[in-house]
Amino acid sequence: MDSIAYVNGSFVPLSDAKVSVLDRGFLFADGIYEVSAVLDGKLVDNASHLARLERSVGEIKLKLPETVERITELQKELIARNKLANGLVYLQVTRGADTARDFPFPKGEVKPTLVMFTSEKDIINAASAKTGINVITVPDIRWERRDIKSVALLAQVLAKQAAAEAGAGEAWMLEDGLVTEGGSSSAFILTQNDVIVTRQNSNAILPGCTRKAVLALAAERQLRIEERAFTVTEALAAKEAFITSASSFVQPVVAIDGKQVGSGKPGPMATRLREIYVEFAKATGV
Ligand SMILES: Cc1ncc(COP(=O)(O)O)c(C=O)c1O
């Protein structure tokens, strides 16, 4: 059965959910998106995602067509209408559909497009959380404002397709010999002396909401953290590696480009951080 999507004020069957070919999201990737996890019917860390949404739209001089409070209500209504227990809510806002294709912002009053839909995903019981994933490395060919969660994802499409073709679960992107992040995740290692290392936030990476929450949860537990870039060589010499994202929470990385990381099995730190994050997600869902 068709799930229900939200398009510009209406709830409609997903197969009837349509936007104009003149939509600037379609023509120019002139839009922003967010993905929030849903656990037991509740949104996980959603305020953090909507705060990042507000920041991203601000950076491209786009105004949200609804308040964050109203967007939260709409997300909840969509979850209820779809009877979604576990999965994801995808949200996209674009600069709307003008009357012609023209690069500068529309001159007249063009309402931004707001679209949302859901998908089912059992993140907690994902098999890959138990086995760990392999990652491949690819050059990071993206633009210089990766801190903006733009819908221009062609570099990640190509990176993740290369990963899929190699039988890997994620692609780690490299710039100047350093790992920036995963195609759709933040990248971490645990050094031999038990320091959790992940790249510092800057224009070079997306400030991951799960990254932020995991770092805060780790800090509360007095775990040692360093926010800095690392090389693949350092990752291969590390005790553990893992990724974080809203759609996977924390996932162990057991090999990079076919070379084993640590024991080649999910490590205790990644496993522990995953448990801690799941506990947080369950306790704070709205
Ligand atoms: C490039 C990139 N980095 C990191 C992340 C993880 O961010 P979050 O934890 O907010 O899902 C994503 C998520 O899609 C991403 O696309």
Side-chain angles (χ1 to χ4, degrees), residues 168-187:
E170 179 59 299
W172 276 8
M173 297 179 284
L174 303 180
E175 187 170 59
D176 301 329
L178 298 165
V179 175
T180 52
E181 58 188 329
S184 59
S185 59
S186 309

Side-chain angles (χ1 to χ4, degrees), residues 33-35 49 52 142 146 149 153 156 173 181-186 205-212 244-247:
Y33 76 107
E34 273 300 334
V35 180
H49 286 278
R52 186 173 63 188
R142 295 175 299 163
R146 301 161 192 161
K149 199 163 168 65
L153 291 171
Q156 281 110 308
M173 297 179 284
E181 58 188 329
S184 59
S185 59
S186 309
I205 63 165
L206 183 78
C209 293
T210 320
R211 171 195 179 283
K212 184 178 178 185
T244 63
S245 73
S247 59

Side-chain angles (χ1 to χ4, degrees), residues 82 100 111 147 154 231 251:
N82 285 319
K111 206 171 177 216
D147 56 310
L154 193 48
T231 63
Q251 273 205 317

Side-chain angles (χ1 to χ4, degrees), residues 13-90:
L14 186 61
S15 52
D16 294 334
K18 301 206 166 57
V19 294
S20 164
V21 294
L22 287 175
D23 194 277
R24 294 177 61 93
F26 176 65
L27 294 176
F28 302 118
D30 187 358
I32 301 294
Y33 76 107
E34 273 300 334
V35 180
S36 298
V38 176
L39 211 55
D40 301 330
K42 292 187 173 164
L43 287 156
V44 174
D45 207 11
N46 194 50
S48 182
H49 286 278
L50 295 186
R52 186 173 63 188
L53 174 70
E54 278 197 295
R55 178 186 181 273
S56 290
V57 295
E59 290 299 304
I60 68 162
K61 303 183 174 70
L62 174 61
K63 221 175 146 300
L64 288 176
E66 305 287 352
T67 63
V68 161
E69 292 70 33
R70 178 73 186 133
I71 290 174
T72 311
E73 280 173 21
L74 292 168
Q75 289 173 304
K76 288 182 182 172
E77 179 160 0
L78 196 60
I79 291 166
R81 282 182 186 244
N82 285 319
K83 299 184 176 56
L84 183 70
N86 296 299
L88 302 167
V89 178
Y90 177 88

